[in-house]
Amino acid sequence: MEYDEKLARFRQAHLNPFNKELGPRQHEQRASKEAPEVTSEEALPELPPGEPEFCCTERVMDLGLSEDHFSRPVGLFLASDIEQLRQAIEECKQTILELPEQSEKQKDAVVRLIHLRLKLQELKDPNEDEPNIRVLLEHRFYKEKGKSVKQTCDKCNTIIWGLLQTWYTCTGCYYRCHSKCLNLISKPCVRSKVSHQAEYELNICPETGLDSQDYRCAECRAPISLRGVPSEARQCDYTGQYYCTHCHWNDLAVIPARVVHNWDFEPRKVSRCSMRYLALMASRPVLRLREINPLLFNYVEELVEIRKLRQDILLMKPYFITCREAMEARLLLQLQDRQHFVENDEMYSVQDLLDAHTGRLSCSLTETHTLFAKHIKLDCERCQAKGFVCELCREGDVLFPFDSHTSVCTDCSAVFHRFVWPDPPLGQVCVFPVGREGRRGGGRGDIWGSVFAA
C-alpha cells in the first residue's frame, strides 16, 4: 500500500507536458484509472512532517517543454510563393516601424523579417539539380555550396549566402556569382587575356577622357558621369579609363608602370577587371628592366645586388646539370617558384620587384647562392674537380667562375684572378673586364675589352 501511495503521488506530480490533448483533470482521471485500488481519500494522504511536498502547477512544471520546438520558425514557411513572401515582408516592415523601439515585440518582428527574407532568397535561388561545371565566355565555373564564408557576387554586387545559395567560381580568374546570375555574365575570363597577351600597360595612367568613352563605362557600357548621375564615374589607375560602380569597387593594387619608372609601390585604385589581370600577371616574368628603364640600376642598390646573384646562379647551373648528386638532391628546385632565375638574368616579374623592395628577394637569393656554392666548393668532389687555376699567375686556390675575385674570358671561358695583368702567349686573344676608367679589374658595372698579344 505504501508503494501505491508513492506511485500515485509521483504520477500526479509528473504530468506529461508533451500530451497536449489531456488537461490536468484528465491526467488525474487517467492516473486514477491506472490505479483503481487507490481511493480518492487515499490518493493524497497526509505526508509526514519531515518529507517534502510535491507542488505541481502547470506553469511550474512546464519548463518550456510544452512549446513545440520541432515546429518550423515563425514566418519561414507560411508563404507558398514569392509574391506572398514579399507581401509578408512589407507587412513585417510596417509592423516594425509601428512598434516601440528596443521593445521585445520589435525584436521578435525583426527576427521574423530575417526569416522571411532568407526564405525569399532561397526561393529565388534555383533548386533543381545544376551541373557542377559550366563553361561560359571562356570562364570555367565550378559549383560551390555549403560554405559559411560570405562572398560577394561580381555580377549583381550582393552578398552570396553560402549556406543557402548555390554559387559558381571561375577557376581561371576567380570570378564569383550566383547561379541565377550565371547566364547574365558579359565579361570574358581574364585568364584568356593573360594567356594570349601577357604584357603590361607601361604608361602611367594613360587617361583619354570620358568623351572618348562616350560617357559610358569602359566595360559594361552603362551611362556614367563625374557628377554621379546616373552612375558615378571611377577612374582605374592602371588603364586610365572610367568605370561604373558595378565594375569598379575601389580595389587597390600596385601599378607596374609606376614601379618600373618611379620605383613607386603605393597601391592605387583599379577596376575589378584590372585587379584580376594584375593578380594573375604578378608572378609572370615579362619585364625586361634593362630595356624599359636601364637607369633604374644606378639608383636602386637592391637591383644591382640581385642581378649579381642571378648571374652567379647562372654560372653554377652547368655544374648542377652535370652532377649526379646535385640532380638527385634537386638543388635547382630551390628556385622552382622563380624558374626564370635559372634561365636568364634580365627578366623580372612584378612580384620580384615587390620582394626586392621589401628585402625578401635579396635574403632568399643570398641563402640559395650560399647553398649552391657550398655544394660546388665543399660538398661535392666532382664539382670541385671542375674548378680552374689562374693561367696567368699559377698561384692561389682553385677558382670558380662565380667567385667575387675572378674574371671569365668570354671566348675561351678561362678563369683568372681579377686584378692580374694578363700576359698571354703569342697569338692568344683573351677578353677581360676593364674598369670604367680604362684600368684592369672593376666591379659590377664592368665593360668588356680585348687584349691582344704583341
Side-chain angles (χ1 to χ4, degrees):
M1 181 62 72
E2 182 179 357
Y3 171 78
D4 296 334
E5 293 177 1
K6 290 184 178 181
L7 180 61
R9 289 201 303 270
F10 177 80
R11 288 176 175 173
Q12 184 178 3
H14 294 75
L15 302 179
N16 185 4
F18 291 98
N19 192 352
K20 296 182 177 180
E21 298 177 356
L22 298 177
R25 296 181 179 177
Q26 292 173 331
H27 278 289
E28 295 176 0
Q29 295 176 2
R30 182 176 178 181
S32 62
K33 290 179 181 179
E34 292 178 356
E37 67 276 3
V38 181
T39 60
S40 59
E41 295 179 356
E42 296 175 348
L44 293 175
E46 295 183 2
L47 298 176
E51 188 172 352
E53 180 180 0
F54 288 95
C55 297
C56 177
T57 61
E58 185 178 359
R59 185 176 185 82
V60 175
M61 296 304 298
D62 187 15
L63 298 178
L65 297 176
S66 60
E67 181 181 356
D68 188 2
H69 289 278
F70 301 98
S71 63
R72 292 169 179 174
V74 178
L76 188 59
F77 293 96
L78 294 180
S80 58
D81 55 11
I82 295 179
E83 293 300 328
Q84 292 181 2
L85 273 174
R86 288 177 177 172
Q87 183 179 359
I89 288 174
E90 294 300 326
E91 293 177 356
C92 190
K93 287 182 181 179
Q94 189 64 28
T95 304
I96 293 174
L97 295 176
E98 294 175 356
L99 291 173
E101 294 185 359
Q102 304 298 330
S103 63
E104 294 297 330
K105 292 184 178 180
Q106 189 185 47
K107 293 179 181 179
D108 295 340
V110 170
V111 173
R112 184 172 182 271
L113 177 62
I114 294 174
H115 290 162
L116 289 170
R117 284 182 169 175
L118 289 177
K119 178 58 181 176
L120 178 62
Q121 193 66 41
E122 183 180 356
L123 290 179
K124 285 183 178 181
D125 196 39
N127 295 324
E128 63 271 9
D129 293 335
E130 297 176 349
N132 293 327
I133 302 176
R134 295 282 298 273
V135 179
L136 182 66
L137 294 178
E138 299 186 4
H139 290 281
R140 188 174 180 84
F141 288 104
Y142 274 80
K143 184 173 68 173
E144 303 197 30
K145 193 173 183 180
K147 293 185 178 181
S148 59
V149 180
K150 290 183 180 179
Q151 306 288 350
T152 304
C153 179
D154 288 318
K155 177 59 182 177
C156 62
N157 199 11
T158 58
I159 295 177
I160 299 174
W161 299 94
L163 293 176
L164 298 176
Q165 298 173 313
T166 303
W167 50 290
Y168 285 84
T169 302
C170 177
T171 58
C173 63
Y174 305 105
Y175 187 96
R176 301 184 184 90
C177 69
H178 297 100
S179 58
K180 59 186 177 62
C181 299
L182 199 60
N183 296 326
L184 303 177
I185 294 176
S186 59
K187 304 174 184 178
C189 183
V190 181
R191 173 74 69 176
S192 61
K193 181 180 178 181
V194 173
S195 302
H196 298 102
Q197 186 182 2
E199 59 183 10
Y200 286 115
E201 172 61 57
L202 295 179
N203 294 319
I204 299 178
C205 194
E207 181 181 3
T208 56
L210 272 174
D211 55 341
S212 63
Q213 300 179 204
D214 196 20
Y215 292 90
R216 294 182 177 273
C217 174
E219 189 166 344
C220 67
R221 307 305 297 169
I224 56 175
S225 69
L226 294 177
R227 295 181 179 180
V229 180
S231 179
E232 177 187 1
R234 297 178 178 178
Q235 187 181 27
C236 174
D237 195 84
Y238 174 69
T239 62
Q241 296 178 319
Y242 290 89
Y243 298 83
C244 65
T245 55
H246 286 283
C247 301
H248 195 311
W249 295 4
N250 289 330
D251 297 306
L252 299 177
V254 176
I255 309 302
R258 296 184 182 274
V259 173
V260 171
H261 295 293
N262 301 339
W263 201 242
D264 180 12
F265 292 88
E266 184 71 22
R268 295 321 201 275
K269 295 180 179 179
V270 295
S271 64
R272 295 290 293 176
C273 183
S274 298
M275 186 197 67
R276 294 193 189 92
Y277 182 77
L278 294 175
L280 293 175
M281 287 284 293
S283 58
R284 287 181 171 259
V286 296
L287 297 175
R288 195 182 297 270
L289 291 185
R290 290 184 182 178
E291 294 181 1
I292 300 173
N293 186 9
L295 296 178
L296 196 62
F297 291 91
N298 297 337
Y299 296 96
V300 183
E301 297 180 358
E302 295 88 346
L303 289 179
V304 178
E305 181 181 1
I306 290 171
R307 182 178 63 180
K308 178 63 172 62
L309 292 172
R310 291 184 63 176
Q311 291 173 351
D312 290 347
I313 290 174
L314 289 177
L315 293 174
M316 296 177 185
K317 181 181 177 181
Y319 288 87
F320 297 144
I321 294 177
T322 57
C323 177
R324 182 181 302 174
E325 295 181 1
M327 296 298 291
E328 291 178 355
R330 298 184 178 182
L331 291 179
L332 289 177
L333 289 181
Q334 297 289 332
L335 296 172
Q336 60 181 347
D337 295 335
R338 307 179 197 267
Q339 290 187 352
H340 53 286
F341 280 13
V342 296
E343 296 174 357
N344 59 74
D345 62 337
E346 297 181 353
M347 305 303 294
Y348 292 84
S349 66
V350 172
Q351 189 63 45
D352 294 338
L353 301 180
L354 183 61
D355 293 341
H357 176 67
T358 58
R360 291 195 298 267
L361 181 58
S362 178
C363 294
S364 63
L365 274 184
T366 302
E367 294 178 359
T368 304
H369 184 279
T370 303
L371 178 64
F372 288 178
K374 180 176 179 294
H375 171 82
I376 296 174
K377 302 174 71 172
L378 298 177
D379 297 341
C380 182
E381 295 182 357
R382 293 186 181 90
C383 294
Q384 291 179 20
K386 298 175 184 177
F388 293 84
V389 177
C390 181
E391 298 182 7
L392 301 178
C393 66
R394 304 284 181 177
E395 297 177 357
D397 300 332
V398 178
L399 303 180
F400 292 92
F402 51 85
D403 289 335
S404 59
H405 59 282
T406 60
S407 298
V408 182
C409 176
T410 57
D411 290 342
C412 65
S413 300
V415 181
F416 305 91
H417 288 106
R418 174 163 296 188
F419 299 104
V420 174
W421 186 267
D423 187 13
L426 184 63
Q428 181 178 352
V429 179
C430 287
V431 182
F432 298 91
V434 181
R436 294 178 184 272
E437 293 87 3
R439 59 179 176 82
R440 294 288 168 171
R444 295 164 180 163
D446 297 333
I447 57 177
W448 296 97
S450 300
V451 178
F452 296 89

